[in-house]
Amino acid sequence: KIKRLRQKKIATKHTIIDECEYEKYKKDTVSEWLDEGIRQSEIDLFDIRIDDRSNRIVYPVRDIDGNLINIKGRTRFPDYKSMNLMKYINYFPVGTMDYLQGLNITLPYIKEKNEIIIFESLKSVMKCFGWNYKNSASAEKHSLTDEQIRLIIFLRVNVVFAYDSDVSYKSKDIVETINKIKRFTNVYIMEDKENLLGGVEAKNSPADKGLHIFEKLYENKRKVR
């Protein structure tokens, strides 16, 4: 059955990048993320660094085995839109999107709990890791590729989608994704029915408003039938 999840584009193998490419960037205080509640211990664990040249926060993109396959950077300029800068950039060609960010670190906890929480960003993964919800990973977006879907199915665990408040679980691509995955495992979604995250305009992650709000959303997650 899994083989029926056909990819729309030809899959390309990732080039394994030499670790020295990431060692170019310095370990320094990531004040923005500390201010958002991400602990220094998680910043160190996920090896977050600074690219002074482009003024970006950078982090390694690794496959499930821990191989470095890309480097991703988030701009530190608050007015990046008016500067015509991209918020996120990949430093190397992306190739086939067949990985989940942070999975090489969180996989043991996912297996232990028999559940993966899927966020849109690594920051949410790091926040929850600090709250002892260590069984998550980031898709880096909400529209999953067939390769990401296949990876999730191969984990053989329950799946909880924890998308940002501006994403609708009724959108066609998400419905199709969930329908594919729920053929193989239990799928749950975290819905913000009480507008705890500030609605569509706020674009907040379920982890952005603190542990109390996250736990309320998590406890009220709904199984997709």
Side-chain angles (χ1 to χ4, degrees):
K1 291 183 178 180
I2 294 176
K3 291 181 180 179
R4 294 175 187 170
L5 299 176
R6 299 298 184 187
Q7 58 205 39
K8 295 180 180 180
K9 297 181 180 180
I10 297 174
T12 57
K13 291 185 178 180
H14 294 289
T15 300
I16 305 302
I17 300 167
D18 195 297
E19 293 290 338
C20 68
E21 292 292 337
Y22 194 64
E23 295 298 327
K24 296 176 182 177
Y25 306 107
K26 68 178 183 179
K27 295 183 179 181
D28 203 351
T29 303
V30 187
S31 55
E32 302 96 316
W33 288 13
L34 289 169
D35 291 344
E36 290 184 41
I38 298 174
R39 305 186 309 177
Q40 186 63 49
S41 55
E42 276 65 59
I43 289 175
D44 293 339
L45 176 63
F46 288 84
D47 201 10
I48 311 302
R49 302 192 182 197
I50 300 296
D51 177 1
D52 280 333
R53 183 176 180 182
S54 64
N55 196 32
R56 289 183 179 272
I57 299 168
V58 294
Y59 52 89
V61 178
R62 298 185 182 278
D63 63 20
I64 196 170
D65 297 316
N67 297 307
L68 182 66
I69 57 175
N70 214 320
I71 296 170
K72 194 161 187 176
R74 185 185 192 278
T75 184
R76 304 184 85 181
F77 289 111
D79 53 346
Y80 67 91
K81 290 184 179 179
S82 63
M83 297 172 66
N84 200 29
L85 295 173
M86 296 182 67
K87 186 175 183 179
Y88 286 95
I89 63 170
N90 289 287
Y91 285 46
F92 295 87
V94 176
T96 302
M97 191 78 173
D98 58 358
Y99 59 87
L100 297 174
Q101 189 69 38
L103 185 61
N104 62 298
I105 293 173
T106 62
L107 182 59
Y109 306 100
I110 291 167
K111 289 293 188 180
E112 179 182 353
K113 193 162 185 181
N114 192 40
E115 175 189 274
I116 181 171
I117 304 172
I118 299 177
F119 291 105
E120 289 185 63
S121 75
L122 181 62
K123 289 200 302 178
S124 296
V125 174
M126 295 169 66
K127 283 183 183 179
C128 282
F129 201 97
W131 296 334
N132 208 34
Y133 287 85
K134 300 180 178 182
N135 56 308
S136 69
S138 166
E140 301 292 275
K141 55 198 181 70
H142 65 265
S143 182
L144 303 186
T145 65
D146 278 348
E147 291 79 18
Q148 287 178 311
I149 292 171
R150 190 176 294 111
L151 173 59
I152 291 167
I153 291 170
F154 278 146
L155 294 177
R156 300 183 184 278
V157 298
N158 295 328
V159 178
V160 180
F161 285 100
Y163 283 159
D164 293 358
S165 61
D166 62 324
V167 175
S168 172
Y169 289 105
K170 296 180 181 179
S171 64
K172 182 180 178 181
D173 57 337
I174 294 179
V175 170
E176 289 177 352
T177 292
I178 290 175
N179 284 341
K180 289 176 181 178
I181 297 175
K182 75 177 185 178
R183 292 163 53 198
F184 301 95
T185 189
N186 299 314
V187 178
Y188 301 82
I189 56 176
M190 291 174 62
E191 300 171 294
D192 184 21
K193 294 183 177 180
E194 299 180 35
N195 204 33
L196 301 174
L197 299 176
V200 174
E201 295 298 324
K203 300 182 180 181
N204 281 319
S205 157
D208 281 345
K209 290 295 185 177
L211 175 59
H212 175 70
I213 296 299
F214 171 79
E215 288 189 325
K216 186 169 185 179
L217 294 171
Y218 178 78
E219 289 168 3
N220 291 314
K221 63 185 180 293
R222 175 173 65 87
K223 185 176 182 179
V224 182
R225 302 294 180 180

